[in-house]
Amino acid sequence: MMKKWSIEKIFWLFLMVFSIVIVLFPIYIMFKYSISDRTSWITGGKYPIPWWPFDPNFEMYSYYLSDGRFWSSAWFSLKIAFLTIIISMGLGAPAAYALARFKFWGIGLVLFLILSVRMFPDVSSVLPVAQFFNLDIIYNIPITLKVAMGHTLLGLPYIILIAIGVFQTIPIDLEEQAQVMGATKFYAFTRIILPVALPGLAAGAIYVFLLSWNEFVFSYFITATSTADVIPLPVYLKTLLGAFSPNPVSIATLSLLVSLPVIIFTFIVQKYMIAGATAGAVK
């Protein structure tokens, strides 16, 4: 016997389907344009733009995927993003642990000063940062590290804020029991607290990766004021858009190609987060 659908179930089903359409529709539009032939987007007003191209092709994908500069910039951006995650986590996790566990005078002021970095527009803070990287003492450090350090400046406040919340949800009894058994504070932090906190910290890693991958202002100014042979992907895209009048096919193709690593990375870390959250529940 078939179950009777209530109005409430139909309403929630409608909301779910509507949400999926809202999320997937822009991706569909980008994909449609990326494989469109010329007559599918230049109509001259003679007919409406079709919902599916007349003669779909992957010519623009072949063009960009065979462009060595695109791959160099993509690899450069990928290295910067992962290096930014490493630096942000290496600095942010211990700082957040201290702010979450230790109570000292002025803790609110310290947290405010850390977060105040994000109160300033990027365009107002990028010039002194770019100038700093041009000092003689650090001028010769790799450009990848320079850009990653610039991106860390943007991502670190968010990492600390997210990590504080994660550490506060972990019972302090875990590390106290470890210390009773002879473990040091450092051992308890690295071997007990961090593994439990990793699923939550992964959310911060995703955010920092997305921030670094999409960041343009710091990438542009730091590479422009250095002797960089390769430029990050957002800067590379800007040079392309400034070189010729872009068409929807070119923009849609580039948008999808740039989004692909982010989607893959998110899916990989999302699986890890689910597995880690389940393990944490068992503990």
Side-chain angles (χ1 to χ4, degrees):
M1 185 177 176
M2 290 185 64
K3 275 190 174 179
K4 210 171 178 182
W5 285 68
S6 64
I7 295 177
E8 185 182 3
K9 281 187 178 178
I10 294 174
F11 175 73
W12 285 111
L13 180 63
F14 170 77
L15 286 182
M16 185 184 68
V17 173
F18 183 71
S19 301
I20 293 174
V21 171
I22 290 294
V23 171
L24 294 182
F25 185 71
I27 299 175
Y28 162 74
I29 292 296
M30 283 198 299
F31 180 70
K32 187 205 77 167
Y33 271 110
S34 70
I35 60 173
S36 291
D37 58 297
R38 190 174 179 80
T39 57
S40 296
W41 62 277
I42 299 181
T43 64
K46 297 177 182 176
Y47 51 88
I49 295 177
W51 286 100
W52 187 252
F54 299 122
D55 184 19
N57 61 77
F58 292 89
E59 290 179 2
M60 197 56 73
Y61 284 96
S62 300
Y63 170 77
Y64 283 114
L65 291 178
S66 61
D67 186 358
R69 294 171 302 170
F70 173 82
W71 285 108
S72 299
S73 296
W75 176 239
F76 188 44
S77 288
L78 203 60
K79 288 191 293 183
I80 292 171
F82 280 110
L83 191 55
T84 303
I85 291 176
I86 293 171
I87 299 174
S88 299
M89 283 296 176
L91 296 175
Y97 176 77
L99 290 170
R101 284 287 189 261
F102 306 123
K103 303 301 176 189
F104 53 88
W105 184 86
I107 187 172
L109 178 63
V110 172
L111 188 59
F112 172 78
L113 291 175
I114 292 173
L115 298 180
S116 65
V117 175
R118 298 304 296 137
M119 293 181 183
F120 300 96
D122 292 350
V123 291
S124 66
S125 54
V126 66
L127 288 179
V129 172
Q131 186 65 29
F132 171 77
F133 284 130
N134 278 329
L135 295 176
D136 293 338
I137 191 171
I138 57 172
Y139 185 79
N140 291 323
I141 66 174
I143 186 64
T144 308
L145 182 58
K146 285 183 181 179
V147 181
M149 290 170 68
H151 291 181
T152 300
L153 184 67
L154 304 175
L156 190 59
Y158 296 113
I159 286 288
I160 292 177
L161 194 62
I162 293 171
I164 287 176
V166 173
F167 289 130
Q168 286 176 339
T169 60
I170 299 174
I172 196 170
D173 295 346
L174 282 177
E175 53 191 291
E176 287 180 346
Q177 290 173 11
Q179 289 173 6
V180 168
M181 297 175 70
T184 62
K185 199 79 175 175
F186 180 77
Y187 184 91
F189 174 70
T190 56
R191 300 299 182 88
I192 297 173
I193 300 301
L194 270 185
V196 178
L198 274 181
L201 296 179
I206 293 174
Y207 181 81
V208 169
F209 180 86
L210 296 177
L211 185 148
S212 176
W213 183 262
N214 296 320
E215 209 285 328
F216 172 78
V217 176
F218 274 69
S219 302
Y220 178 78
F221 278 89
I222 292 175
T223 54
T225 55
S226 303
T227 54
D229 298 327
V230 187
I231 52 179
L233 199 53
V235 183
Y236 168 72
L237 297 183
K238 185 263 176 190
T239 61
L240 286 181
L241 297 178
F244 57 87
S245 180
N247 60 55
V249 179
S250 175
I251 294 175
T253 305
L254 284 171
S255 299
L256 284 176
L257 288 175
V258 171
S259 303
L260 196 58
V262 176
I263 294 172
I264 293 173
F265 178 77
T266 303
F267 271 103
I268 293 173
V269 181
Q270 188 182 41
K271 289 179 181 177
Y272 172 76
M273 289 175 68
I274 294 172
T278 307
V282 173
K283 291 173 184 173

